Amino acid sequence: MPNLEHFQDSLDIRWNNPALLEEALTHSSFVNENPHATSNERLEFLGDALLGLVLGQQLFFDYPDMDEGELTHRRSLLVRGNTLANIARSIGLGDGLFLGKGEEKSGGRDKGTNLAGAFEALVASLMLDQGWEAARTFILRTFRPEIERLQREMDTDYKSQFQLIAQSFYKSTPTYRIINTAGSDHDRQFTAEVLVAETAMAQGFGRSKKQAEADAARLALGKYQTSLQNK
């Protein structure tokens, strides 16, 4: 049987009501063999909504000029099953699951669907046990590597896409320059400008120079796509 004390130690979190944690880690296959137990499916439902809200709020503040469509796209990449399963693995969630014997034998502790669902249930149980802020802090802490990875991939993609368009359509390679830096050392805001053949195409903003440059490339891409639609 999973050791809930050890699992809580590994997270450096203590549930006030351990029954909530146990429910979050209980797979339906365990309930089939232990009718007194409660599966994590209801908590999974609540956790899905909670993750969407917390991550949506974070993206909203991280990208103040990003439109609804792009924000929705980024959030969907963060809350998809594969991402949740990877985060669950990173915190050793599989070792804490209560599984039926058949599910255990079939490798259920590392199944993506089991891990993703249990992670959703886990964050919901934490919110019910300790409140919104505790759950939000835990979610952002565990998601931070994924948020940063997604940002790097998307930022690189924007700059690569715009470079291809600039070289093809404008016959020139874009360049970037930082035109303003504001805020304190702990809350910097950079403004970057992307130029093609010495002509400014767009200005972007970000908490790092790279993020500001990528934002400028994203906006320049949008302008180019709009110009094609208007032709």
Side-chain angles (χ1 to χ4, degrees), residues 35-111:
H36 65 280
T38 303
S39 83
N40 60 11
E41 291 174 350
R42 280 173 52 82
L43 286 174
E44 181 181 336
F45 163 79
L46 182 59
D48 175 61
L50 176 60
L51 287 172
L53 179 57
V54 170
L55 295 170
Q57 181 190 56
Q58 190 63 35
L59 291 169
F60 180 84
F61 288 121
D62 281 349
Y63 301 97
D65 65 329
M66 189 171 285
D67 62 35
E68 177 191 4
E70 183 62 25
L71 289 171
T72 300
H73 176 58
R74 291 199 178 204
R75 183 182 61 187
S76 70
L77 292 176
L78 289 171
V79 300
R80 62 185 177 181
N82 287 344
T83 302
L84 299 184
N86 286 336
I87 293 173
R89 290 186 182 99
S90 75
I91 62 172
L93 185 54
D95 294 335
L97 295 180
F98 290 87
L99 301 173
K101 294 178 181 178
E103 189 67 20
E104 177 88 52
K105 290 180 180 178
S106 66
R109 293 193 183 279
D110 196 50
K111 284 185 181 177

Side-chain angles (χ1 to χ4, degrees), residues 23 63 120 146 151 167 216:
E23 181 179 337
Y63 301 97
E120 291 174 333
E146 287 294 333
Q151 179 178 307
Q167 291 174 337

Side-chain angles (χ1 to χ4, degrees), residues 128-145:
L128 293 175
D129 188 69
Q130 299 180 29
W132 159 264
E133 194 55 41
R136 177 180 176 276
T137 298
F138 175 73
I139 290 168
L140 294 180
R141 172 165 64 87
T142 53
F143 267 86
R144 182 54 55 191

Side-chain angles (χ1 to χ4, degrees), residues 140-157:
L140 294 180
R141 172 165 64 87
T142 53
F143 267 86
R144 182 54 55 191
E146 287 294 333
I147 291 173
E148 292 176 351
R149 179 191 60 78
L150 176 63
Q151 179 178 307
R152 287 193 301 270
E153 290 180 357
M154 299 293 282
D155 288 353
T156 299
D157 190 49

